[in-house]
Amino acid sequence: MVGKRYPFYSVASVVAMIVLWQLASTYLIDPFFLPAPTAVVKGTGELLREGILLKSIGASLGRIFAGWILGSLVAIPVGLLVGSSPVVRSLVDPFTHFFRFIPALALITLFIVWFGVGELSKILLIVYSTGFIVMINTATGVAAIPEEKICAARCLGANRRQLFLHVTAPATVPYIYVGMRLAMASSFLVIVAAEMLAANSGLGYLIWTSRLYFRIDWMFAGIVLLGLLGYGTDRLWRLVGSTLLARYLREVSRY
Amino acid sequence: MKIMAGFTEPTSGVVETSDGQRVTGPSRDRGMVFQSLEAPLFDWLNVEENVAFGLRMQGMARDGQRATALRYIEMVGLKGQERKFPAELSGGMKQRVQIARTLATDPAIVFLDEPFAALDAQTRRILQREIVNIWLRTQKTFVYVTHDIREAVLLGKRVVIMTAGPASRIKRVIEVRMDYPRDELAPDFVDAFRQIEHDIEEEVSRAWSGNGTLSTR
């Protein structure tokens, strides 16, 4: 458990960082290469007025959420089954440990050939990267359930189906929760790379094309936005954890 | 105990209950209270939901679940704690939840596997007294495993001493004919204690060979 927090220190360190950045680009480094925060804000304003910004954010977030949710919906039941059934585990295991070393980035071009340059290939890439992370975490969670919990439930009369629904699944929620949180971060990674290679919208596309106009301030706008959106979605996920899933996450550290 | 409860298959022989039924797996006729404090409880359920778990699995109506759960929560002295989650309970309270949960499904036999071994000395003494009262009230067969001789004499009507394992057998059965609550300084108590202690020492010295290493046979 992380104990006391000092919000003042966090705000102060962020403010200090921005001030340092501003000073550096004013006095130390050519602002063409390192645009000042004020310039980045100005560039962001331009993108916003031209309607590119919201469109890019919408495109990237749409793909991320679609792939992340779809991937999790597939991976959670598979992970629960892999964790609870030795037969399913033996069937799936060789593929799990083969494919999890093949990063989604290596599949981008293949997926574009297979599924086209449209939304499908990008969403499926995120399904792929999310799926493995969530599935492996879920299966690990099932394996980590103490034997006594299973024995206790059986002594209390739970049959196999009830054991799965009322013990295995809820006891694994902390692992699913953490797995989905990690998968969200990897979704950002995958989508930006995919959008840089083959897309005509999204934050990755924005960062990539800014190069053509020598607009490093736009690149910065895209990069900073990725960080902010990631931060935002993570906070949102933590909010889900501390409200909807609170009863399942009592033992999870609050970091 | 695991074989009796049905978790482990015997390599040979069978386990039968007094009504002639063969034990082939765990069942709600045979309840179990575990030594571990955290692992057996369902940490996403509060006290009341933990106690009602077995009733929910039976498909009992919600009102019935609630009423039964509350009765046993009161019996183990946890009234007022129904809404708390296991993470908010002390070790002793967790074991009370386990006991209430096991009794709620009305099993014919209750197995207790060193239920108070992980508790502090004070809490253990309190729960030892209370488990006797609960046992007397429910009139069920309790099978209680312990390594604590004092605890065995304090609680047991019939104390079964086992030989050193592996392939452990029954060494001796002692009937303790004393009323509850038992006086630890009464001559009968001391006699039973000494007898058991003597038997255990014999087994311990058999398990340890002369050169101070643990014999595997």
Side-chain angles (χ1 to χ4, degrees), chain B residues 1-118:
Chain B
M1 185 175 267
K2 277 188 169 173
I3 292 174
M4 288 194 288
F7 295 132
T8 306
E9 292 229 339
T11 40
S12 64
V14 292
V15 181
E16 270 181 5
T17 52
S18 55
D19 53 0
Q21 287 209 336
R22 190 185 276 196
V23 172
T24 51
S27 132
R28 66 162 175 267
D29 291 339
R30 295 181 301 281
M32 184 100 170
V33 176
F34 300 84
Q35 175 184 358
S36 164
L37 305 179
E38 277 83 24
L41 293 179
F42 306 121
D43 37 81
W44 57 92
L45 301 179
N46 65 29
V47 169
E48 188 187 315
E49 292 162 336
N50 261 285
V51 175
F53 183 87
L55 308 169
R56 183 151 71 99
M57 296 302 109
Q58 287 172 35
M60 186 189 265
R62 237 165 225 286
D63 290 350
Q65 285 181 33
R66 209 182 139 73
T68 312
L70 289 178
R71 197 165 76 238
Y72 286 98
I73 287 168
E74 198 176 346
M75 186 189 280
V76 298
L78 283 180
K79 202 173 174 197
Q81 317 288 336
E82 296 89 346
R83 299 271 162 267
K84 283 197 177 154
F85 283 86
E88 298 166 312
L89 303 176
S90 68
M93 288 158 92
K94 285 176 187 160
Q95 294 312 78
R96 289 170 193 265
V97 175
Q98 271 207 69
I99 293 165
R101 184 177 73 171
T102 303
L103 293 173
T105 51
D106 197 24
I109 307 174
V110 179
F111 296 107
L112 301 103
D113 183 9
E114 299 192 69
F116 307 142

Side-chain angles (χ1 to χ4, degrees), chain A residues 76-205:
Chain A
I76 293 166
V78 173
L80 288 174
L81 283 172
V82 167
S84 15
S85 155
V87 174
V88 177
R89 189 187 167 155
S90 308
L91 286 171
V92 174
D93 242 16
F95 299 100
T96 313
H97 296 294
F98 175 77
F99 278 111
R100 80 193 176 97
F101 289 102
I102 301 175
L105 300 182
L107 297 176
I108 292 178
T109 42
L110 181 65
F111 273 40
I112 287 166
V113 171
W114 279 355
F115 306 110
V117 288
E119 295 304 298
L120 184 64
S121 59
K122 277 142 210 107
I123 291 172
L124 286 180
L125 274 170
I126 295 178
V127 168
Y128 171 86
S129 74
T130 297
F132 276 100
I133 298 172
V134 174
M135 196 268 266
I136 289 169
N137 269 278
T138 307
T140 307
V142 176
I145 300 174
E147 200 195 334
E148 286 101 324
K149 218 181 278 307
I150 306 289
C151 290
R154 293 177 70 193
C155 268
L156 293 167
N159 59 32
R160 286 175 71 92
R161 193 183 61 84
Q162 289 173 323
L163 198 64
F164 188 79
L165 285 178
H166 298 293
V167 182
T168 309
T172 311
V173 171
Y175 286 80
I176 297 173
Y177 172 80
V178 171
M180 286 179 73
R181 197 174 168 197
L182 297 172
M184 175 56 82
S186 94
S187 301
F188 272 76
L189 186 90
V190 173
I191 199 60
V192 169
E195 285 170 351
M196 283 181 166
L197 274 177
N200 46 24
S201 62
L203 286 167
Y205 173 76

Side-chain angles (χ1 to χ4, degrees), chain B residues 3 15 43 58 62 65 82 107 131 133 137 140 151 154 158 184 191 202 209 211:
Chain B
I3 292 174
V15 181
D43 37 81
Q58 287 172 35
R62 237 165 225 286
Q65 285 181 33
E82 296 89 346
I131 196 77
N133 293 331
R137 271 179 71 179
K140 289 180 189 302
E151 187 174 64
L154 193 65
R158 176 189 292 162
E184 293 176 47
D191 284 350
E202 220 172 67
S209 64
N211 58 15

Side-chain angles (χ1 to χ4, degrees), chain A:
Chain A
M1 281 286 188
V2 178
K4 234 178 147 156
R5 298 234 198 103
Y6 300 94
F8 173 75
Y9 288 166
S10 304
V11 173
S13 83
V14 171
V15 170
M17 195 62 221
I18 292 172
V19 169
L20 273 177
W21 175 10
Q22 180 79 37
L23 290 174
S25 79
T26 313
Y27 300 107
L28 286 175
I29 302 164
D30 184 346
F32 175 76
F33 293 109
L34 181 68
T38 45
V40 173
V41 170
K42 219 173 122 233
T44 311
E46 277 172 35
L47 291 170
L48 188 66
R49 272 192 304 279
E50 288 176 32
I52 301 169
L53 194 72
L54 291 181
K55 195 176 148 246
S56 303
I57 292 175
S60 291
L61 282 188
R63 292 164 188 155
I64 287 174
F65 278 112
W68 181 69
I69 289 168
L70 223 69
S72 301
L73 283 179
V74 175
I76 293 166
V78 173
L80 288 174
L81 283 172
V82 167
S84 15
S85 155
V87 174
V88 177
R89 189 187 167 155
S90 308
L91 286 171
V92 174
D93 242 16
F95 299 100
T96 313
H97 296 294
F98 175 77
F99 278 111
R100 80 193 176 97
F101 289 102
I102 301 175
L105 300 182
L107 297 176
I108 292 178
T109 42
L110 181 65
F111 273 40
I112 287 166
V113 171
W114 279 355
F115 306 110
V117 288
E119 295 304 298
L120 184 64
S121 59
K122 277 142 210 107
I123 291 172
L124 286 180
L125 274 170
I126 295 178
V127 168
Y128 171 86
S129 74
T130 297
F132 276 100
I133 298 172
V134 174
M135 196 268 266
I136 289 169
N137 269 278
T138 307
T140 307
V142 176
I145 300 174
E147 200 195 334
E148 286 101 324
K149 218 181 278 307
I150 306 289
C151 290
R154 293 177 70 193
C155 268
L156 293 167
N159 59 32
R160 286 175 71 92
R161 193 183 61 84
Q162 289 173 323
L163 198 64
F164 188 79
L165 285 178
H166 298 293
V167 182
T168 309
T172 311
V173 171
Y175 286 80
I176 297 173
Y177 172 80
V178 171
M180 286 179 73
R181 197 174 168 197
L182 297 172
M184 175 56 82
S186 94
S187 301
F188 272 76
L189 186 90
V190 173
I191 199 60
V192 169
E195 285 170 351
M196 283 181 166
L197 274 177
N200 46 24
S201 62
L203 286 167
Y205 173 76
L206 171 69
I207 294 169
W208 191 247
T209 44
S210 299
R211 165 192 67 117
L212 300 174
Y213 307 103
F214 298 106
R215 290 302 298 263
I216 295 187
D217 56 336
W218 287 0
M219 281 189 201
F220 266 81
I223 292 166
V224 170
L225 267 171
L226 279 175
L228 288 176
L229 290 173
Y231 185 83
T233 48
D234 194 58
R235 289 308 287 250
L236 211 65
W237 188 231
R238 276 160 64 184
L239 186 71
V240 171
S242 61
T243 51
L244 283 176
L245 301 175
R247 64 162 53 211
Y248 302 100
L249 300 177
R250 294 182 169 271
E251 315 286 336
V252 178
S253 111
R254 295 269 171 256
Y255 185 73

